[in-house]
Short mmCIF file of all heavy atoms in Angstrom, two decimals:
data_model
loop_
_atom_site.label_atom_id
_atom_site.label_comp_id
_atom_site.label_asym_id
_atom_site.label_seq_id
_atom_site.Cartn_x
_atom_site.Cartn_y
_atom_site.Cartn_z
N ARG A 40 24.57 -7.05 11.81
CA ARG A 40 25.41 -6.15 12.60
C ARG A 40 24.65 -5.02 13.25
O ARG A 40 23.71 -4.49 12.68
CB ARG A 40 26.47 -5.51 11.70
CG ARG A 40 27.55 -6.45 11.30
CD ARG A 40 28.60 -5.65 10.60
NE ARG A 40 29.46 -6.55 9.86
CZ ARG A 40 30.24 -6.15 8.86
NH1 ARG A 40 30.22 -4.91 8.48
NH2 ARG A 40 30.99 -7.03 8.26
N GLY A 74 23.40 12.01 9.63
CA GLY A 74 24.00 11.26 8.52
C GLY A 74 23.15 10.13 7.98
O GLY A 74 23.48 9.54 6.96
N THR A 79 18.29 3.73 4.29
CA THR A 79 18.62 2.89 5.44
C THR A 79 17.40 2.67 6.32
O THR A 79 17.22 1.59 6.88
CB THR A 79 19.78 3.51 6.23
OG1 THR A 79 20.94 3.49 5.40
CG2 THR A 79 20.07 2.73 7.49
N ARG A 82 15.49 0.07 4.52
CA ARG A 82 16.15 -1.23 4.63
C ARG A 82 15.99 -1.80 6.03
O ARG A 82 15.75 -2.99 6.21
CB ARG A 82 17.63 -1.10 4.26
CG ARG A 82 17.82 -1.05 2.74
CD ARG A 82 19.29 -1.19 2.32
NE ARG A 82 20.00 0.07 2.36
CZ ARG A 82 20.65 0.60 1.32
NH1 ARG A 82 20.69 -0.03 0.16
NH2 ARG A 82 21.28 1.74 1.43
P DA N 24 34.73 -11.55 1.96
OP1 DA N 24 35.49 -12.82 2.02
OP2 DA N 24 34.63 -10.80 0.69
"O5'" DA N 24 33.27 -11.85 2.52
"C5'" DA N 24 33.11 -12.42 3.83
"C4'" DA N 24 32.04 -11.66 4.59
"O4'" DA N 24 32.52 -10.33 4.91
"C3'" DA N 24 30.75 -11.46 3.79
"O3'" DA N 24 29.66 -11.57 4.71
"C2'" DA N 24 30.88 -10.06 3.24
"C1'" DA N 24 31.64 -9.35 4.36
N9 DA N 24 32.46 -8.23 3.91
C8 DA N 24 33.10 -8.08 2.70
N7 DA N 24 33.77 -6.95 2.61
C5 DA N 24 33.56 -6.32 3.83
C6 DA N 24 34.01 -5.10 4.35
N6 DA N 24 34.81 -4.26 3.70
N1 DA N 24 33.62 -4.77 5.59
C2 DA N 24 32.82 -5.61 6.27
N3 DA N 24 32.33 -6.80 5.89
C4 DA N 24 32.75 -7.10 4.64
P DT N 26 24.30 -6.80 7.86
OP1 DT N 26 23.72 -7.20 9.14
OP2 DT N 26 23.59 -7.08 6.58
"O5'" DT N 26 24.58 -5.24 7.96
"C5'" DT N 26 25.54 -4.68 7.11
"C4'" DT N 26 25.66 -3.22 7.40
"O4'" DT N 26 26.69 -2.75 6.54
"C3'" DT N 26 24.40 -2.44 7.04
"O3'" DT N 26 24.25 -1.33 7.93
"C2'" DT N 26 24.66 -2.00 5.61
"C1'" DT N 26 26.18 -1.88 5.56
N1 DT N 26 26.78 -2.29 4.25
C2 DT N 26 27.67 -1.43 3.66
O2 DT N 26 28.01 -0.38 4.16
N3 DT N 26 28.17 -1.86 2.46
C4 DT N 26 27.87 -3.04 1.80
O4 DT N 26 28.39 -3.30 0.72
C5 DT N 26 26.92 -3.91 2.48
C7 DT N 26 26.51 -5.20 1.84
C6 DT N 26 26.42 -3.50 3.66
P DT N 27 23.03 -0.28 7.64
OP1 DT N 27 22.67 0.30 8.95
OP2 DT N 27 22.02 -0.91 6.78
"O5'" DT N 27 23.79 0.85 6.81
"C5'" DT N 27 24.88 1.52 7.41
"C4'" DT N 27 25.39 2.61 6.51
"O4'" DT N 27 26.03 2.01 5.36
"C3'" DT N 27 24.29 3.52 5.98
"O3'" DT N 27 24.56 4.88 6.32
"C2'" DT N 27 24.30 3.31 4.47
"C1'" DT N 27 25.65 2.68 4.19
N1 DT N 27 25.60 1.65 3.14
C2 DT N 27 26.44 1.76 2.06
O2 DT N 27 27.21 2.68 1.91
N3 DT N 27 26.32 0.75 1.14
C4 DT N 27 25.48 -0.33 1.19
O4 DT N 27 25.48 -1.19 0.31
C5 DT N 27 24.61 -0.39 2.35
C7 DT N 27 23.65 -1.53 2.51
C6 DT N 27 24.72 0.59 3.25
P DG N 28 23.35 5.92 6.19
OP1 DG N 28 23.42 6.81 7.38
OP2 DG N 28 22.10 5.24 5.85
"O5'" DG N 28 23.86 6.72 4.92
"C5'" DG N 28 25.11 7.38 4.94
"C4'" DG N 28 25.39 7.98 3.57
"O4'" DG N 28 25.56 6.91 2.61
"C3'" DG N 28 24.28 8.87 3.04
"O3'" DG N 28 24.89 10.00 2.42
"C2'" DG N 28 23.55 7.97 2.03
"C1'" DG N 28 24.65 7.04 1.53
N9 DG N 28 24.22 5.70 1.18
C8 DG N 28 23.29 4.93 1.84
N7 DG N 28 23.13 3.74 1.32
C5 DG N 28 24.00 3.72 0.25
C6 DG N 28 24.28 2.69 -0.69
O6 DG N 28 23.79 1.55 -0.76
N1 DG N 28 25.23 3.07 -1.63
C2 DG N 28 25.85 4.29 -1.64
N2 DG N 28 26.74 4.48 -2.62
N3 DG N 28 25.62 5.27 -0.77
C4 DG N 28 24.68 4.91 0.14
#
Side-chain angles (χ1 to χ4, degrees):
Chain A
R40 287 188 197 161
T79 294
R82 282 191 276 236

